[in-house]
Amino acid sequence: MTKCGYVSVIGRPNAGKSSLLNWLVGEKINMVSHKANATRKRANTIIMHKDSQIIFVDTPGLHKQEKLINQFMLEEALKAMGDCDLILFLAPVTDKLVHYENFLKENKKNIKHIVLLTKVDFVSNSELLAKIDEYKKYKNQYESIIPISIKKGRKQDIILDEVVYHLPQSPYLFDTEILTTTHLREIYKEFIRESVFDNISDEIPYETDVIIEKIEEKPNVEVIKATIIVEKPTQKGMIIGKGGEAIKRIGLNARKKIEPLAGKKVYLELFVSVKRGWSKNKTSLKELGYDFE
């Protein structure tokens, strides 16, 4: 029998969940930002490892804030925790244990989990060993603890072997050739949003979203028209920039992200629209694809 199962990738905001998945799959298909709370929805990344199929679920960071969009993000993470076969808990090695302890409280179904100690290249060996010692008081809670650095070394097989060991016997759930169940339209949207995060400072990226208005596939070029949604007219001005400089920079950055996935040149046309208070309004959020129950 083959093995197959869902593995939720959980951690605090900006713990490196999306970067880890891109590294494991060897392709950039998940939005990555150095700013916290960039990931807003669950997204599946499918990896075939030896004779097993692993469906990794990228999730928003575990956090609590008042805005409706943040409440939606927390619910996405909690649903992923409750609906999986295994959890990968990402813990930057410099973090205090409080984030892990909060995760244990939220793991109400006691789904078995593996701790990945990330960013170990930032500390010495003695500091790493001291951190592993701190986790030992919870050794009956986790299945294993694996220190990793995405930037140094190649431990993908170590992680994947350990994950597969804990998966149930099952036939494959998806075609073995696909890397994600996320539609290209949604990935394009996320890459444009990532470019806003990369190129616009402060809080503005958190009050933006993207609507893909149209995708036209031509033999040698992909034509994409999209609208960046903001909450205030002043934000619209900052997204566009003086003489359109900022939006040109966003568009160029987004095209560079999209073209490798599209496999062809991309013509990207961006617009900006004001939708006041969209992140605090349930109707507006539903219109933008955030499905509250």
Side-chain angles (χ1 to χ4, degrees):
M1 278 288 290
T2 57
K3 283 190 164 189
C4 180
Y6 284 87
V7 180
S8 292
V9 183
I10 301 292
R12 65 157 171 80
N14 218 19
K17 299 179 290 296
S18 301
S19 296
L20 173 86
L21 289 175
N22 288 340
W23 177 66
L24 287 175
V25 77
E27 296 274 356
K28 180 173 172 53
I29 56 176
N30 295 288
M31 172 182 173
V32 174
S33 175
H34 64 279
K35 295 175 183 173
N37 291 329
T39 301
R40 289 178 177 163
K41 293 182 180 179
R42 286 174 286 175
N44 293 341
T45 299
I46 302 168
I47 295 178
M48 297 302 302
H49 183 61
K50 299 175 181 175
D51 292 328
S52 302
Q53 185 177 72
I54 311 167
I55 304 119
F56 285 105
V57 185
D58 194 10
T59 65
L62 291 176
H63 72 292
K64 294 183 181 179
Q65 289 184 18
E66 294 301 315
K67 280 186 180 179
L68 269 179
I69 183 66
N70 295 98
Q71 293 174 27
F72 171 86
M73 289 157 65
L74 177 60
E75 283 301 310
E76 285 283 278
L78 295 178
K79 285 175 188 173
M81 283 173 59
D83 294 342
C84 65
D85 301 290
L86 179 71
I87 294 171
L88 278 188
F89 181 81
L90 264 65
V93 70
T94 51
D95 275 10
K96 294 181 178 178
L97 253 63
V98 64
H99 298 290
Y100 179 64
E101 291 164 345
N102 288 338
F103 155 73
L104 291 177
K105 292 174 187 173
E106 296 289 2
N107 187 15
K108 301 187 188 304
K109 291 187 178 179
N110 291 318
I111 304 290
K112 58 186 178 180
H113 66 276
I114 296 166
V115 176
L116 290 187
L117 278 182
T118 65
K119 304 180 183 178
V120 298
D121 46 305
F122 288 101
V123 298
S124 65
N125 283 341
S126 59
E127 289 172 313
L128 172 59
L129 291 172
K131 182 58 67 174
I132 291 172
D133 272 345
E134 287 182 42
Y135 276 88
K136 280 184 178 175
K137 66 178 176 180
Y138 295 110
K139 64 183 179 182
N140 293 328
Q141 303 274 1
Y142 55 79
E143 302 299 320
S144 58
I145 185 164
I146 305 173
I148 64 161
S149 168
I150 292 174
K151 292 183 179 178
K152 293 183 179 180
R154 298 188 62 82
K155 286 194 175 181
Q156 287 101 326
D157 280 357
I158 292 174
I159 297 168
L160 297 175
D161 285 344
E162 182 68 15
V163 165
V164 165
Y165 177 78
H166 296 287
L167 290 185
Q169 287 191 334
S170 166
Y172 301 149
L173 298 175
F174 295 98
D175 188 311
T176 58
E177 297 298 316
I178 66 173
L179 298 178
T180 179
T181 58
T182 305
H183 292 140
L184 274 179
R185 177 180 290 262
E186 188 70 20
I187 296 175
Y188 292 168
K189 164 185 168 171
E190 290 298 278
F191 283 176
I192 296 168
R193 205 163 61 80
E194 180 181 333
S195 298
V196 174
F197 271 75
D198 288 348
N199 289 280
I200 304 295
S201 59
D202 302 323
E203 288 299 308
I204 293 176
Y206 294 102
E207 297 188 354
T208 62
D209 209 284
V210 174
I211 297 173
I212 302 294
E213 307 286 0
K214 183 180 180 182
I215 298 175
E216 189 177 351
E217 295 183 14
K218 296 185 177 180
N220 299 315
V221 67
E222 193 107 330
V223 179
I224 304 169
K225 295 185 179 181
T227 300
I228 299 171
I229 306 295
V230 295
E231 294 201 331
K232 303 167 189 170
T234 52
Q235 294 171 341
K236 179 176 180 177
M238 294 187 74
I239 294 286
I240 294 171
K242 187 176 181 180
E245 182 182 332
I247 199 164
K248 286 176 186 173
R249 193 168 64 246
I250 291 166
L252 178 63
N253 188 271
R255 279 199 300 108
K256 287 180 179 178
K257 298 175 191 296
I258 292 170
E259 283 180 345
L261 203 60
K264 63 177 85 167
K265 289 288 184 183
V266 167
Y267 174 78
L268 176 61
E269 192 172 2
L270 294 176
F271 306 89
V272 186
S273 177
V274 178
K275 198 175 186 71
R276 291 184 181 273
W278 69 265
S279 67
K280 309 173 190 73
N281 183 285
K282 190 171 282 190
T283 301
S284 296
L285 285 165
K286 285 186 175 181
E287 289 173 356
L288 289 168
Y290 300 100
D291 295 323
F292 283 86
E293 290 184 354

